[in-house]
Amino acid sequence: VCVCVCVYVHVYSASLVPTFSFGENDIYNQIPNPPGSRLRQLQRKFTKTMGFSPPLFHGRGIFNYTFGFLPHRRPVTTVVGRPIKLEKAADPANLDRAEVDRVWHLYVDGLKEVFNAHKLEFGFGESDELNIV
């Protein structure tokens, strides 16, 4: 969720609902690119030229299950948290940054709450934490 969503929620008096999907990282495989490999060097050149480096991944094919761009058939479970109800802003055009940050932190706290409540069910350890970067 980006900051624009926090503003949108205030403009329309909508609820912001934290959701987390367990298993999303397992539906595609990333091609290994250890430091010093040709692939890593190619990615760095691409990043230097274009400003980003696309992830190199693969899943399964339509008629084969070893390589392709379709996701692997693995379970993805989405867990829904408690809605964060927000009041409509009196002047949506002049929302201050402190209010947007407050809503953002409420959402991140909701995400962490959902993750911590269900992480043991989906193979994460008790000490595993959700890091929002």
Side-chain angles (χ1 to χ4, degrees):
V1 170
C2 65
V3 173
C4 339
V5 172
C6 295
V7 172
Y8 181 86
V9 167
H10 265 303
V11 170
Y12 293 102
S13 184
S15 292
L16 194 56
V17 182
T19 58
F20 189 85
S21 294
F22 290 92
E24 278 186 324
N25 291 340
D26 301 328
I27 60 176
Y28 285 102
N29 297 327
Q30 186 173 349
I31 296 174
N33 58 346
S37 68
R38 284 187 176 186
L39 180 57
R40 179 68 64 99
Q41 292 170 0
L42 180 66
Q43 281 186 319
R44 286 185 187 208
K45 285 181 185 176
F46 192 90
T47 302
K48 199 172 193 178
T49 306
M50 303 300 287
F52 74 98
S53 179
L56 299 174
F57 62 91
H58 67 90
R60 65 177 181 88
I62 295 174
F63 300 111
N64 67 46
Y65 291 98
T66 56
F67 189 82
F69 293 106
L70 295 176
H72 288 292
R73 293 181 180 182
R74 297 183 181 142
V76 175
T77 305
T78 301
V79 181
V80 180
R82 289 181 283 140
I84 302 166
K85 181 68 177 154
L86 299 171
E87 300 299 320
K88 187 172 183 174
D91 186 10
N94 292 320
L95 276 178
D96 64 334
R97 182 65 189 197
E99 178 60 16
V100 173
D101 287 344
R102 183 187 75 81
V103 172
W104 170 252
H105 288 294
L106 283 173
Y107 182 77
V108 169
D109 291 344
L111 270 181
K112 289 181 178 182
E113 183 180 311
V114 167
F115 178 79
N116 289 331
H118 299 278
K119 65 184 175 183
L120 295 177
E121 298 171 45
F122 297 99
F124 288 92
E126 185 67 43
S127 63
D128 290 331
E129 294 180 8
L130 180 62
N131 294 317
I132 308 293
V133 183

